[in-house]
Amino acid sequence: MLEAKELGFRVGNKQLLNNFNVSFEPGKIYALVGHNGSGKSTLLKLLAKQQDATSGNVLLESKTVAKWSDKDFAKNIAYLPQHLPATDSLSGKDLVSFGRYPWHGLLGRLSSQDKQYVEEAMELTDTAQYADRLVDTLSGGERQRVWLAMLLAQRTKYLLLDEPLSALDIGHQVEMLTLIKKLSESLNLGVIIVIHDINMAARFCDHIIALHSGELLIEGMVDDVFQESELQSIYGVPMHITQHSAGYPVAMPGDLEPA
């Protein structure tokens, strides 16, 4: 179990996250939604041990993350930042192999087991065809899948993804989320994803967590959050909800009241 307990983060006089309490279970996909600056990426960085909380705690298996070594923590939590590191001269297989770092060190030789995990991760994400391609020559969707393969090679319990869809067109967004949902179900992975499209969240995620100005606004299962009053409180505009024929709700902005 990954848990946030009265979690807060302050920079100077600005409170970016305040008194946040939520538990995240394996095998479920959690969407973090809200306006820009609402605290989504800050929360993800705290959960990923990329920043230290200024109040409260993040607990992994009931132990505060401060007591986990970086390598042991990385065996449980894989994090994909919004702005990805450079991949100059790296092939797809090179990048995916970096996922084995927590288990043997950056300069350690890959064991036969490591190589098997790398191959399995590339097969699961349909990226084996990019093993010898330079990552920088791949399309946006192809690159995202290779990065996802790297996280899978890490063999963790949780994937933390900060806006992995931002550079993708609608087709590749659906493709990526379909893959993430399949992997979450088949591997019992907990996935926490920052996502802007509330309808994508409803279609592919199990749980929605909405933040506003660093505060937890609403959290719950999709059907609980997908109420017109709840969505209006998140986005500040009237929202109408219809049901897609495939069985998931769809929200559309309603008419604004005249000034």
Side-chain angles (χ1 to χ4, degrees):
M1 181 78 75
L2 181 64
E3 302 170 86
K5 297 285 190 180
E6 299 179 1
L7 195 60
F9 186 73
R10 175 185 291 272
V11 177
N13 294 324
K14 188 169 184 179
Q15 191 78 33
L16 300 180
L17 192 72
N18 185 49
N19 196 35
F20 183 90
N21 292 277
V22 170
S23 297
F24 303 92
E25 300 176 17
K28 292 184 178 180
I29 303 178
Y30 297 83
L32 301 183
V33 304
H35 292 294
N36 289 337
S38 61
K40 304 183 300 295
S41 292
T42 297
L43 171 61
L44 208 67
K45 289 176 183 176
L46 295 175
L47 294 174
K49 204 182 176 186
Q50 298 295 306
Q51 291 177 331
D52 295 328
T54 52
S55 61
N57 286 292
V58 175
L59 304 179
L60 177 61
E61 296 181 2
S62 301
K63 184 170 71 173
T64 179
V65 297
K67 295 182 178 179
W68 287 81
S69 71
D70 289 343
K71 287 184 68 174
D72 286 341
F73 185 79
K75 292 176 182 178
N76 289 274
I77 307 290
Y79 169 65
L80 191 67
Q82 181 178 351
H83 302 292
L84 298 173
T87 54
D88 298 343
S89 302
L90 284 178
S91 69
K93 192 169 186 178
D94 290 337
L95 179 58
V96 178
S97 296
F98 283 162
R100 299 307 300 158
Y101 161 72
W103 303 89
H104 65 75
L106 190 59
L107 300 178
R109 185 183 296 272
L110 290 180
S111 68
S112 58
Q113 182 73 82
D114 291 321
K115 293 176 181 177
Q116 179 182 336
Y117 288 150
V118 168
E119 290 175 2
E120 288 177 357
M122 299 191 80
E123 289 174 4
L124 284 168
T125 54
D126 193 26
T127 53
Q129 58 192 308
Y130 310 130
D132 299 320
R133 288 270 304 275
L134 292 178
V135 175
D136 288 347
T137 68
L138 301 176
S139 71
E142 292 165 348
R143 275 199 303 273
Q144 288 295 78
R145 281 196 286 149
V146 173
W147 278 102
L148 183 59
M150 187 202 73
L151 302 189
L152 293 179
Q154 204 168 320
R155 306 286 286 197
T156 60
K157 299 174 183 176
Y158 290 90
L159 304 182
L160 278 54
L161 311 174
D162 194 351
E163 296 193 38
L165 310 178
S166 60
L168 304 181
D169 60 40
I170 186 68
H172 284 107
Q173 289 181 25
V174 171
E175 180 184 271
M176 178 62 66
L177 286 170
T178 300
L179 175 58
I180 289 170
K181 188 172 182 66
K182 176 183 175 183
L183 294 171
S184 174
E185 292 173 348
S186 63
L187 303 176
N188 196 38
L189 284 171
V191 180
I192 307 171
I193 179 171
V194 174
I195 186 169
H196 284 287
D197 190 326
I198 191 68
N199 291 317
M200 288 290 194
R203 180 175 176 181
F204 292 101
C205 300
D206 303 296
H207 206 93
I208 295 177
I209 297 169
L211 293 97
H212 190 281
S213 301
E215 303 273 356
L216 175 60
L217 184 62
I218 302 165
E219 65 101 3
M221 303 297 287
V222 171
D223 287 342
D224 296 329
V225 175
F226 250 69
Q227 306 294 327
E228 292 184 358
S229 60
E230 302 283 37
L231 294 182
Q232 182 168 349
S233 70
I234 296 172
Y235 295 105
V237 296
M239 301 289 281
H240 297 314
I241 298 171
T242 59
Q243 199 72 14
H244 192 279
S245 59
Y248 54 86
V250 176
M252 297 177 291
D255 295 330
L256 296 175
E257 293 294 330

